[in-house]
Each structure stands twice: as C-alpha cells, then as structure tokens.
Amino acid sequence: MDVGEFVRLRLSQSMISKLPNLFMGYIRGLKRPLIESAFAIFVGLIVGALIMIIFRHDPIEGYISMLKGYGIFIAKRTFMTREFMFALAFATPYMLTALTFAVGVRAGLFNIGAEGQLYIGAAAASWMAAHVALPSGFHVFAVTVFAMLAGALWAVLPALLKIWKGVHEVISTIMLNWMAFYLVMYLAIYHLRGIWAHITKEALPTARYPVLAGSLTAVIFIALLVCIGVYIFLWRMHPGYELRLVGDNPDAARYAGMSISRAIFLSFIIGGLVAGLAGASLAVRPEKWGFHATLGDLMGYGFAGIGVALVGRNHPIGIIPAAIFFGGLAHSGRFMEFDIRISSELVGAIQGVIIIAMALPGLLALIRRKAK
Amino acid sequence: MDNEGVAKTTAIAIVIIIIAAAVIGAYVATRPPVKPPAVFKIAVVSDIGGRGDLSFNDMAFKGGDDAERDFGVEMKEIISMVEADYVPNLRTAALDPDVKLIVGVGFLLTHALIEVAKEFPDKNFVGIDTFTKWVDPQPNLLDVVYEEHKGSALVGALGGLLAAYYDKPYIGGVFGIEIPVLWKFEIGYKWGCDWAMGWIENNKPEMKRGIYNTPRDKRVLYDYTGTFSDITKGYLTAVPMYEKGAVAVYNIAGPLGLGINSAVKDIATRDRLKAGPPFWIGVDANQDWINPGFVIASMMKRVDYGVYYATKLVLENKFREAVAEYGNEIVLGIGTTVLGIPMEGISVSTLADLDEFIKMGVKAEELTGEPVLPGPPEWIKEKVAEMRDNQPAWIWGAVAELESKIRTGAVEVPLAVTENAVKEWRAILG
Amino acid sequence: MITIGRIRLSKRVLAYAISLIAITVFLYLLDRAGVPPKDIIRSGLFAMTPLALAATGECINEKAGVVNIGLEGIFLVSCVIGVFGAERLGSGIAGLLVGSLVGAFIGFIFGLMSVYARANQVVAGMGINVFGIGFLPFLLMAIWAFPGIHLVRKEFLVPKILTPIGLLSPVIFVAIAVPIIAHIILNRTFLGIKIKAAGEKPEAADVAGQRVDHIRMFTCTLGGAMAGLGGVFMSLAWFDGIVKEIAAGRGFIALACVVFAGLSPLLALAGAFIFGFAEALAYTVAITPGAKVYPFLPYFLKMVPYIVPLVIVTIFIGRRPFPKALGKPYIRE
C-alpha cells in the first residue's frame, strides 16, 4: 500500500486523540518501502564495489570517501556539518525538480519540463532580484513568487497543448526545454547582465536569501514547506484527490464527473511553480548571486530530478530523503577522486549503477517469491 | 507463514553471500601501491568542460604534469561536473595540508576562487582566465589571463591570406557560447583578416582576388553555436561554411573541432584531396595532429605554461610578490614578461609544438598498445610539414610580420570585452 | 489499423499532398535564396540517422509495453565499445556490429530488470543514462589513456559513399530501411500482432499461449541493438571519433521522435528527418551575415529545430493512443 494512501485511510479511521497510533501506523506503512529502498541501495553499492574492484580501487576506501559527502568522516570520527550543508545545497533544487516530475506522475503525466521551467524561473528571479529595487523583506518574497509564476507560465503551453490537441507531454516539454535554453541564454547575455556580460547582474542585497552555510540558503526551508504543502494538497484536499484519481484511473475519474483537463492543467501548473522556485534557488545563491550565461549553473537539475522523484516513489515526502541521498552522492564524488584517485567519471558510472539498482524495489519480493 | 520464513532466510543468505563476495573481492583486489607522500602538492580544479575538452582544461592538466616532471611536485586533479562543484572542489583541495597551490581553470571559477581564497588565506590560488582582480582582489589569488585576441589576429591574417591565395571568398569561425572571452577571439580574428587585406593591398597587389573582393563586413562567416560540447552543431555549422567557399574555419569551441573536421573530411573524400584547402584552424591546444594536412595551424593558448609558471613562482617563494607586483593579474601573451623572466602564452603552432603533442599521443599508445594518433608519428610530422611548405612563403612571412609588429607594439589588436566595443567592431568588420 | 474510416483517410491523403507541395515550394525558395537545399538534406540525413534508429527500436519496444528512456546511455556506451571493436577486429563494419551488440546487451539487461525483476523502467532508464555519461569518458581513459577524445584511424571507419546528393554513410540507408521493415513487421506479420498484444493486453496474450516475457525480452534487446547502432554510427560513420558528450541529449530527442510518431516507425523516421533537416537548415541560415542584425535572431534560429516538430505534431498528429500496459511489468500469477 502507498504511504500516503495509508495515512489518508488512517486519518479517516482515527480521531486526533489517536495520534500516537497514527504515527506508529505511518511508520509501519513506511517500513516496506524503506526496507525495499535500503535493499536497492545496498545492491547498488555492491555492484559499485565490484566496478571499483574491477578497476583496481579499494571499495572500502571508496565508500569511506563517499560518506564524506554526507558529512561523515570515519577516519576523524566526526560529523562535519559544513559538508552535510553542501549536500543539502545540492539537494534543494533536486527536491523541487523531483516534485515537478512527481506531481506529473500523480496525474498520469510524464512531465519532464522541469529543466526548461527552471531556466525560465532562474531568469525571472535574476531579473526581479537584480534589476528591480524593492523594500527589503518584500523583495525576497517578490523574487520567489515571480520566479514561480514564470516557471508556471512556461508550463502552460504543454498543458494547453495536451488538453486541446492531445500533444504528448514528452515531446512538448523536451522541445520547450531546449527553447528555454536558448531563450534564457539570450536573455542572460543581452538583458540580464551586470558588469560582466557572462554573469547575470548580482542580486541586490534586499533580494538575497539568508545564507546558512556555503552555498546553502534558506530556500531549503521554502522547498521543504513546498513539499509538505504539495503533500497536503494531494492527499488532504479535494482537487488534489481528483488529480491523483485522474492519474490512477482516468476512466473512474471521468465517470465520477471529474474534469480530467483541470487535473492535468493543475498538475502542470504546480510543477511549473515548483520548478520556477528551483530556478530561483539556483539563480539567487552565493557566491555570484547570479548565474553564468553559459547556463552551466542551471543545467541538468531537471533531469536529475526525475531520478530523485522515482527513488522517492513520487511521494512529496519521500522525495525529501531521496533528494538528500542524491545531494550527498553529488557532493561525494570529489572526495572519492581526491582521496583515492577514482576518476570522477568512474564515480559517475558508479552513481548510475546505484540509480539502476534503485529501480529494483521489487527485487526483494522477487527473491522471496523465487525462494518459495 | 512458514514459507515466508524460508523466503526470508534465503534472502538473508543471498545478501550474506553477496557481502562476503564483495569483501573477499575487496581484499583479493590488488591495492595500488602507496606513494611516498610528496611534500609539495598542487591541485588543479577543472571547470565543467572537464578532461578531454581539447582545450584549456586538458592544457592545465598538462601543465601540472610538466610541473610534476620538472619540479617533483605532485598534482591532484579534481573535475567539476556541475558549477555548484567549484567551491566544494576548491575547498577539498585546500583542506589537504600538503597542497600549497590550487589552480582553478576557467573564468567560470572566478567567484568560487575568491570565496575559497578568503577562507584559506595561507594557501595560494591561481585562476586561469579569471577576473578576480576586478571583483574582489585577494593577496593570495592570482589571475592568469591570455592575449587571445592577438593570437586570433594572427590566425585571422593567416586565413585571410590563404583565402586570397586560393581565390576563395570567405573564412569561417565556429564559436561556442557567446561570452566575453569569445568576443576577444571573434574580434581579433576578424581584425586579423582585415589586416591581411591591407597587407595584400600594400605588398601583393596581384593577390587582390577572392576574399579581397568580398565586402569588408562579410568576409568572416561565423556563428555562436551555443554549446561547447555538441559536436553535431560544429558539423552543421561548418558544412555550409565550406560550401559557401570558406577556405579555413577557426574552431573556437573545443570539441566541436571534431565536427568541423568531419565536414572537412567529407569534402576531402568527395574531391579525393590529400591535403587542404579546405583547412581548419585549431585552438588552445595544438590540434594540428588531428587531421594532418587539413589543420593549417592552431592558435595556441598555453594554459599549461600558466600552471607551470605559477608552480614555479610558489616554489621560489615569489608568488605573493608577483601577486602584489602585478596587481593580482599576470598576462601571458606575445612578448610578455613576469618579474623580469619572459613568460609567453600565445603563439601560432609550429612544428616543434606539434612534436610535443605527438609525444603525448605516443606515450598513451605505449601505455595501452592501442592506436591513439591518426597515424604513425613520422607520417603526421611529414604531412604537416609538407602542408606548410606547400603554402607560399609570403603567407608565412606576412603572419610573422604581423607577429613582430604586435610584439613591438607597432600595431594594436583591438581587445573587445564589452558589448559596445563588440557592436562597434561588428559594424565595421561584420 | 484497417478500420481507418473513409474521411480520416482522405484527410490524411490531403495532409500528405499539402506537405509535399509545401516542401517542394520551400526547397525551391531555399535554392533561390542562395541556400542550396542539397547540403541541408545531406546534413539532415546524418542528423536523422541516430534518432531514426533509436526511435524505431524504442517504438517496437513500447509497442510491447516496455519504456526504455536510457537511449542516451546506450548511445554513449555503444559508441565507445563499437570503436574499440572496430580497432580490434580491424574493420568498421565489425565495429558497427559490436556497437549494436553492446546496445543489445544493455537492452537485454534492462529487459531482465524490467520484465523479471519488475524494475521501475523509468528509474532504470535514467540510471543507464547516468551510467553512460560517466562510463564513456572513463572508458576513453581506460582503453586509450587519452582523456575525453579519441580519433579513429581511417582503416577502421565505415567509409562514406558518394551519391547524387553528396557523401552519405551506408548506415543512413539502413536507418531509412529499418523503420519501413519495422512497420511491415508490426502491421503485417504475426510477430507484430504478438508484440502489440504484449503491450495492449498482456493477460490476453498470456491466455492465448504467448510468452509475454519472451516477447518483451526480445523487443528490449532489439531496441537496445538499434540504439547501439545509432550510437556507434556517430563515432564510426559520421564524426570519425569520439568526444565524451557525443550524444549531447540526442537520446532524449529520439524519445521525442517516438512520441511524435505515436509509436509508428514510419512517422518516427519522418520525425527524425524533420528534426535533422530543421537543425541543418537553422545552422545554415545562421551563418549568413544578415542573421546577426538582430541579436535575438541567431538564438531564435537555434530554437527552430525544436519549434518545427512541436508545431507539426500539434497541427497534424495530435492525440495518439499508447499501449494500455505501457511501462507496467507483467507477472504471471
């Protein structure tokens, strides 16, 4: 049974006074997916170890270095908060782009438009943050909202094409991703630039998110809130319920008199809003408080989000640990390369194997069944 | 229930077997021999182009290798996969107590270098192509910049003269992403072509043909492809350039040179050519060996020298002095010196340079036993030398003349890094 | 597919006729404007080939109910190992075979995971992509000890051949033939019916005595082989070398072609060609000096290859049915 489904069921059955029960139920509901995910990660690590052995690296040393990405320094027996913060900085945009994909899946869509919506959101955030003067306090808010709206705007077209013409979202979002790429590149070079033509203008001090450590800003709190908010929307509110039903069983939704178009539209818009926020989180962050016109600062997060969402089982809460897992993975490569000279490329391949293993939640069940 | 119990046991057994296999494997696997710790380490942090960009990242690692060989230092490489990697990568390097010098390769690392240089004031930092001097200068951070515009002017002149000689109307340029560093290349290249036309007018009136008769603002076909990695776009851009009659195409987009090369090869196969024209022009590294006979020359930007010199400065304890003396920035170009020692960084490739790069290929071939170079080293050298000899001497003479004029300051190659300057020059030169 | 109504048929014929006329007029205008269409078609055919091959394989795969989005990863891995095979076996054709075999192997593994281990196919596909992106440059170092790039010697290449429209690779003709053959197999043979049944109604196929798992394993392997051929085409028959980002997102464009076509191999071929042609056209127009008058124009031109297929799919193709069991593992109870 699905985690959220379980919770909803529980909620409907129990009163608030039974909260402890509810909590235990939630944990029990989590047990299976957690065990399955843990097993998948474990298999991935073993295959990764085999690859390391084949190419003559010590897998134990390799994984000790990898743990540094999560702030765990075994040799020094310490936990480095600062390193963990870097992992969280990687996790923040992953969380959001994963949410875009997950909300799509919940409505039965394969929405891979986060990449382009993120670019647009970043351009919008950069413009609002650097080129518009607003009172402090309100400015940060304006940047966030404007970026989200811009991301949503870029999601409107695939939504409408899907609803009106039945154009499959895979083609419309891939094509719009590339259009956004060249559009934002142009905007960055010719309209958003500051002193340096290849960096967008620095965000004004009033528009900056507070820095927690390194490149981790307070956006992570917004991201967490958004995850929880989407969870509440999908599982505790009627339009969210409709959205999920459309994804699960469109025929049933149609018979129940629900508007499939509305659900699809909503899913795209939520995805766009969230991806726009991811753009803002990348465009308004230290050290530049802007982004390079090469778009190197923004590229790849949308696609990484797909993997994160799927490992998080397309669940807004499940995405949070998945994003942190991937964030740590992204941060750990440098340690593996620096400490024991595993080339960064091999680190990438090992990460790919871990992701492939994550696709196998059924593996444990399969082993059990075969054992029967 | 019983069944499930059995299943669980099986699953656990399988898991244990796998673990055992991995652990045994780990110990069976030969551990790489532990190197004696070097007292002096340098770290090179690449930008997202990483290894194999055929350009400045590879050149920076080469510089590190050369420093390892000559000074006995140890180089640590860290590749950046995304831009968010820069700060953590630089920090990882700086946290190692043995690392005395950290090199960040590429202007994209500017802000990251400043951030980390502030955090580690007793370490030395070098940025290749960076402009920290203008953002927030640090006493332990040195920008190494290059006079790409001058080198581009030289190959622009070479292209222009070849186009006149072969009676072709254009030269071409395939650029990466439109950023100020590339504006330097673009305007320098066009200016060099323009200078060549003036040279023909004064010195070789009989060569007033081909490109000379093309309107001044239409002589250079160029495009910013918007990528430093998608070689298809290099091919798609170069094909129509050659078809329109470009005698040579300048590759200013790293790996996209392979796409340009493919376009040249198509023409060579179709017309059964043994050597150019058509040609292409390499960039940053020496790319003449990629397709001997068809790469007329490379505009070499010696990022390796930058790393090498910086290591030398640190070893001789002159690094901070140089940072202070030169206002946080040293320029490597044509005829440049640092602390009285000549340190150049820009040149048009010569046969001697070719040898240096072929040696890298030969080394890889010896190591692996696989073919790395497009042919035997002698054959490559012969073909390149033959191609160069087949071009009239006055062309090489004119390019040498331009170089000496740049060296003495008799001519000034425009340095366009602002939008307005680029606009102005584009209005004149196209 | 036989129950095409009379009205739909005539509308379709009309659409074909109009597009044909439009294309002819367009090519004529291009010629008049000094942009010879011959070269654009030639470049377009090259750009089409990897897309058409991978997309056709994926069409068959999805018809049988399995989604493999790891095409990019297959491109990358097969492109390196194919070159290695060509150099070891001493011939480019052998290299093409090795490349397809590598693709087939990845497809086979993917099939094992998605058919028998009930893997989440999208995660597994993404994993293949991440793996490929890392593994390609690693292999370059491991095999040739030369970072990021490898050039293939002439004797190991697949030679290009001269045709009336210029130099083309023989693989291009394969890429044109394969979708046609795939179309015939899917629509005219029993194998095609079995494949489609596995994607539409696996239970029914099972009841009818077909092994859904075998069919899906077959299509996964076949799809992988075709993507592998597309990948090795780029290194051995087009660019004569490898760079680490040689696919540069083309695996995803191939997926877009699959969706563009609504799983019809012929339309996938058309989609791949439209994309390739539009890309070649845009980059040809971009080098004309006039294109730099407005700074936005060059950037707009770079969007054209992405706008054109989207417009075409919106106007001409629209909604298309996908197999009901697409992406869902089928386990016999």
Side-chain angles (χ1 to χ4, degrees):
Chain A
M1 193 189 300
D2 196 337
V3 183
E5 206 63 54
F6 188 89
V7 171
R8 193 170 59 85
L9 207 90
R10 276 274 156 176
L11 277 177
S12 61
Q13 287 168 351
S14 60
M15 303 272 102
I16 303 292
S17 58
K18 288 184 180 169
L19 257 179
N21 253 349
L22 172 77
F23 181 72
M24 285 316 291
Y26 191 87
I27 297 296
R28 239 175 285 140
L30 272 177
K31 212 171 112 190
R32 216 187 102 199
L34 271 182
I35 290 176
E36 285 179 358
S37 296
F39 184 70
I41 293 177
F42 183 70
V43 172
L45 294 179
I46 293 209
V47 180
L50 290 176
I51 293 186
M52 280 189 244
I53 291 170
I54 291 171
F55 293 106
R56 311 208 152 212
H57 293 291
D58 189 330
I60 293 169
E61 277 182 32
Y63 286 132
I64 286 174
S65 291
M66 198 172 103
L67 281 177
K68 289 186 181 176
Y70 298 89
I72 303 164
F73 283 66
I74 295 202
K76 291 185 193 162
R77 295 172 194 283
T78 51
F79 179 76
M80 303 269 279
T81 321
R82 206 186 153 84
E83 299 304 332
F84 185 62
M85 295 279 214
F86 272 111
L88 289 181
F90 279 102
T92 310
Y94 287 164
M95 214 179 279
L96 294 165
T97 51
L99 204 51
T100 303
F101 183 77
V103 176
V105 171
R106 289 288 169 189
L109 299 168
F110 196 84
N111 177 6
I112 49 177
E115 185 87 16
Q117 290 150 18
L118 183 153
Y119 298 159
I120 299 288
S126 171
W127 181 76
M128 187 57 106
H131 295 261
V132 181
L134 288 171
S136 77
F138 178 69
H139 202 169
V140 176
F141 175 75
V143 167
T144 311
V145 171
F146 189 60
M148 291 174 81
L149 289 177
L153 188 71
W154 204 249
V156 166
L157 190 62
L160 292 181
L161 286 179
K162 173 90 183 175
I163 293 166
W164 288 343
K165 288 294 203 169
V167 175
H168 198 288
E169 63 278 4
V170 165
I171 183 162
S172 55
T173 49
I174 288 183
M175 298 299 165
L176 279 163
N177 285 348
W178 281 105
M179 285 181 225
F181 177 81
Y182 290 110
L183 177 64
V184 172
M185 190 179 270
Y186 164 76
L187 289 175
I189 295 166
Y190 284 97
H191 296 283
L192 296 172
R193 65 197 198 85
I195 323 161
W196 314 104
H198 60 282
I199 302 183
T200 60
K201 196 173 165 192
E202 215 171 66
L204 297 168
T206 49
R208 295 180 185 182
Y209 297 109
V211 180
L212 303 180
S215 44
L216 179 67
T217 61
V219 172
I220 190 164
F221 297 122
I222 306 180
L224 290 170
L225 281 178
V226 165
C227 285
I228 295 166
V230 170
Y231 168 71
I232 293 173
F233 172 79
L234 284 178
W235 270 274
R236 304 302 311 280
M237 288 165 78
H238 190 68
Y241 171 71
E242 277 192 21
L243 191 153
R244 282 189 303 126
L245 191 62
V246 167
D248 278 348
N249 193 340
D251 294 331
R254 202 176 289 117
Y255 285 128
M258 292 170 180
S259 164
I260 293 189
S261 305
R262 194 175 62 192
I264 289 176
F265 192 75
L266 254 179
S267 161
F268 267 112
I269 295 299
I270 293 173
L273 288 170
V274 176
L277 177 60
S281 80
L282 290 167
V284 184
R285 75 193 282 178
E287 327 65 51
K288 299 189 289 290
W289 299 104
F291 61 90
H292 282 129
T294 55
L295 304 195
D297 291 303
L298 313 175
M299 272 156 68
Y301 289 95
F303 283 106
I306 300 175
V308 176
L310 292 162
V311 169
R313 305 196 152 209
N314 296 314
H315 190 284
I317 305 296
I319 281 171
I320 298 172
I324 295 172
F325 173 70
F326 275 80
L329 217 52
H331 186 43
S332 62
R334 76 196 86 258
F335 298 108
M336 297 172 80
E337 183 170 26
F338 192 82
D339 293 350
I340 54 173
R341 292 189 171 221
I342 301 183
S343 73
S344 61
E345 293 87 1
L346 188 60
V347 173
I350 293 168
Q351 291 174 350
V353 170
I354 294 176
I355 296 171
I356 293 174
M358 298 295 265
L360 296 166
L363 196 63
L364 197 59
L366 185 83
I367 292 170
R368 275 187 195 158
R369 216 180 37 250
K370 286 276 162 191
K372 275 183 205 172
Chain B
M1 204 56 214
D2 192 36
N3 257 347
E4 204 176 300
V6 173
K8 254 185 195 165
T9 335
T10 325
I12 291 166
I14 290 173
V15 169
I16 289 171
I17 291 167
I18 297 172
I19 298 173
V23 171
I24 294 165
Y27 281 97
V28 169
T30 47
R31 288 171 184 244
V34 183
K35 270 191 181 177
V39 275
F40 190 102
K41 284 186 197 166
I42 61 171
V44 179
V45 176
S46 83
D47 79 354
I48 49 173
R51 285 191 197 95
D53 63 348
L54 270 184
S55 312
F56 55 76
N57 287 316
D58 283 343
M59 291 294 275
F61 291 131
K62 179 180 175 298
D65 284 338
D66 293 346
E68 271 188 340
R69 185 193 62 216
D70 293 358
F71 307 138
V73 301
E74 186 189 336
M75 175 178 58
K76 287 265 190 180
E77 307 169 12
I78 311 184
I79 308 292
S80 303
M81 307 297 249
V82 294
E83 294 204 13
D85 279 341
Y86 298 151
V87 169
N89 277 351
L90 292 166
R91 286 188 74 248
T92 305
L95 281 170
D96 184 327
D98 295 338
V99 170
K100 300 288 190 299
L101 170 69
I102 296 118
V103 182
V105 189
F107 69 93
L108 295 171
L109 279 87
T110 299
H111 289 81
L113 274 165
I114 294 170
E115 185 88 1
V116 181
K118 275 186 194 165
E119 195 184 330
F120 297 90
D122 50 338
K123 300 268 158 126
N124 303 307
F125 293 85
V126 163
I128 304 287
D129 278 359
T130 50
F131 47 96
T132 64
K133 172 190 175 181
W134 306 99
V135 180
D136 189 0
Q138 301 296 322
N140 57 337
L141 173 52
L142 180 68
D143 296 329
V144 177
V145 298
Y146 291 82
E147 296 178 320
E148 297 96 342
H149 52 299
K150 294 184 179 172
S152 298
L154 295 176
V155 290
L158 176 62
L161 297 168
L162 284 170
Y165 175 68
Y166 289 107
D167 200 8
K168 296 273 194 167
Y170 301 110
I171 58 173
V174 174
F175 293 82
I177 298 173
E178 192 169 0
I179 41 177
V181 184
L182 265 68
W183 284 343
K184 280 161 94 175
F185 283 91
E186 177 198 329
I187 302 302
Y189 185 59
K190 289 173 178 171
W191 181 91
C193 177
D194 198 57
W195 179 88
M197 297 307 113
W199 188 89
I200 285 174
E201 191 160 338
N202 295 328
N203 301 298
K204 277 266 178 203
E206 70 273 22
M207 283 293 148
K208 283 188 180 179
R209 59 189 196 188
I211 196 167
Y212 186 86
N213 300 320
T214 310
R216 193 182 182 196
D217 59 351
K218 294 196 171 54
R219 284 174 184 143
V220 180
L221 303 172
Y222 73 101
D223 190 28
Y224 284 92
T225 55
T227 171
F228 283 108
S229 56
D230 187 355
I231 54 174
T232 306
K233 300 202 156 121
Y235 180 82
L236 295 178
T237 312
V239 165
M241 284 181 179
Y242 288 117
E243 216 48 51
K244 276 176 186 281
V247 75
V249 171
Y250 187 18
N251 162 34
I252 314 103
L256 266 66
L258 208 59
I260 302 171
N261 186 39
S262 185
V264 170
K265 274 185 145 181
D266 282 359
I267 297 167
T269 313
R270 187 189 66 197
D271 300 343
R272 296 167 202 277
L273 302 174
K274 289 262 182 293
F279 297 109
W280 62 280
I281 300 169
V283 77
D284 289 2
N286 187 320
Q287 299 175 338
D288 302 5
W289 59 274
I290 291 180
N291 191 355
F294 293 92
V295 188
I296 186 72
S298 299
M299 195 293 280
M300 296 188 58
K301 173 176 166 188
R302 302 306 299 255
V303 173
D304 52 337
Y305 289 1
V307 177
Y308 187 85
Y309 292 150
T311 312
K312 202 172 164 196
L313 287 173
V314 174
L315 277 171
E316 292 169 354
N317 277 327
K318 285 185 186 162
F319 184 81
R320 308 255 165 162
E321 187 192 331
V323 174
E325 170 101 19
Y326 291 95
N328 293 69
E329 178 191 72
I330 60 169
V331 180
L332 301 183
I334 295 176
T336 45
T337 57
V338 175
L339 297 176
I341 310 154
M343 290 188 187
E344 297 207 354
I346 291 288
S347 63
V348 175
S349 59
T350 62
L351 287 175
D353 298 322
L354 179 67
D355 211 37
E356 190 182 344
F357 278 79
I358 286 178
K359 270 185 197 142
M360 287 168 67
V362 172
K363 212 175 101 192
E365 283 184 345
E366 281 168 1
L367 198 71
T368 60
E370 301 288 337
V372 171
L373 296 167
E378 290 314 313
W379 172 80
I380 297 175
K381 277 183 243 173
E382 263 168 39
K383 265 208 102 173
V384 172
E386 189 189 320
M387 169 196 73
R388 288 182 175 231
D389 290 343
N390 282 343
Q391 317 310 321
W394 58 266
I395 290 185
W396 300 109
V399 174
E401 184 185 328
L402 178 59
E403 192 189 332
S404 70
K405 279 189 170 164
I406 291 172
R407 205 177 278 276
T408 56
V411 293
E412 188 69 41
V413 183
L415 172 63
V417 282
T418 63
E419 197 186 330
N420 283 335
V422 171
K423 261 189 191 155
E424 254 170 54
W425 282 106
R426 281 186 186 167
I428 302 167
L429 302 175
Chain C
M1 61 244 82
I2 312 149
T3 55
I4 296 167
R6 190 179 291 164
I7 300 165
R8 244 181 96 191
L9 187 72
S10 63
K11 205 174 159 189
R12 205 187 243 194
V13 170
L14 196 71
Y16 284 147
I18 291 174
S19 356
L20 212 65
I21 295 166
I23 291 168
T24 320
V25 171
F26 181 61
L27 292 180
Y28 175 73
L29 288 176
L30 278 182
D31 206 26
R32 291 295 300 269
V35 187
K38 214 169 89 175
D39 271 305
I40 301 175
I41 291 175
R42 196 179 74 86
S43 302
L45 285 172
F46 273 102
M48 169 200 81
T49 301
L51 301 178
L53 284 167
T56 305
E58 181 64 11
C59 280
I60 300 172
N61 210 355
E62 292 196 15
K63 280 271 186 197
V66 186
V67 183
N68 181 359
I69 66 165
L71 299 179
E72 180 95 357
I74 298 180
F75 274 168
L76 294 169
V77 177
S78 63
C79 137
V80 182
I81 302 185
V83 168
F84 183 62
E87 290 182 351
R88 274 293 156 89
L89 302 173
S91 111
I93 306 290
L96 290 183
L97 285 176
V98 171
S100 330
L101 282 177
V102 169
F105 176 72
I106 300 175
F108 182 76
I109 299 285
F110 178 82
L112 283 181
M113 292 198 303
S114 49
V115 175
Y116 294 111
R118 304 170 88 176
N120 183 321
Q121 295 166 14
V122 179
V123 186
M126 282 306 291
I128 292 176
N129 288 336
V130 174
F131 175 78
I133 289 167
F135 202 53
L136 178 149
F138 176 75
L139 278 179
L140 285 176
M141 272 311 274
I143 300 175
W144 293 286
F146 213 75
I149 185 161
H150 177 67
L151 299 156
V152 186
R153 286 189 185 177
K154 205 179 164 192
E155 55 264 37
F156 306 127
L157 295 170
V158 179
K160 293 174 183 169
I161 49 178
L162 202 58
T163 66
I165 61 162
L167 217 56
L168 291 178
S169 171
V171 183
I172 291 175
F173 300 103
V174 176
I176 295 171
V178 158
I180 297 171
I181 297 167
H183 177 81
I184 293 168
I185 289 176
L186 278 179
N187 295 314
R188 299 266 187 281
T189 66
F190 186 57
L191 179 65
I193 294 170
K194 286 204 282 190
I195 289 173
K196 284 191 280 192
E200 283 294 343
K201 284 200 165 57
E203 302 85 3
D206 197 5
V207 170
Q210 298 302 329
R211 289 295 298 265
V212 175
D213 51 347
H214 289 184
I215 295 168
R216 288 186 171 180
M217 285 304 296
F218 168 71
T219 59
C220 279
T221 312
L222 183 70
M226 284 158 107
L229 182 61
V232 74
F233 159 79
M234 286 193 276
S235 55
L236 280 181
W238 188 6
F239 294 120
D240 306 352
I242 310 163
V243 295
K244 62 182 171 183
E245 285 179 69
I246 189 161
R250 256 144 242 279
F252 290 97
I253 301 288
L255 283 181
C257 287
V258 173
V259 177
F260 174 96
L263 304 192
S264 150
L266 286 184
L267 278 177
L269 177 67
F273 181 69
I274 289 167
F275 179 81
F277 182 82
E279 199 176 20
L281 176 67
Y283 281 82
T284 305
V285 174
I287 64 157
T288 51
K292 306 295 190 308
V293 178
Y294 305 101
F296 183 57
L297 198 57
Y299 290 91
F300 176 75
L301 282 170
K302 279 163 196 87
M303 295 184 203
V304 165
Y306 308 102
I307 296 174
V308 170
L310 190 53
V311 169
I312 289 177
V313 84
T314 307
I315 295 175
F316 293 106
I317 297 176
R319 185 172 280 111
R320 288 219 150 220
F322 278 82
K324 292 220 168 55
L326 187 60
K328 291 178 189 139
Y330 174 70
I331 302 290
R332 294 176 88 181
E333 296 303 332

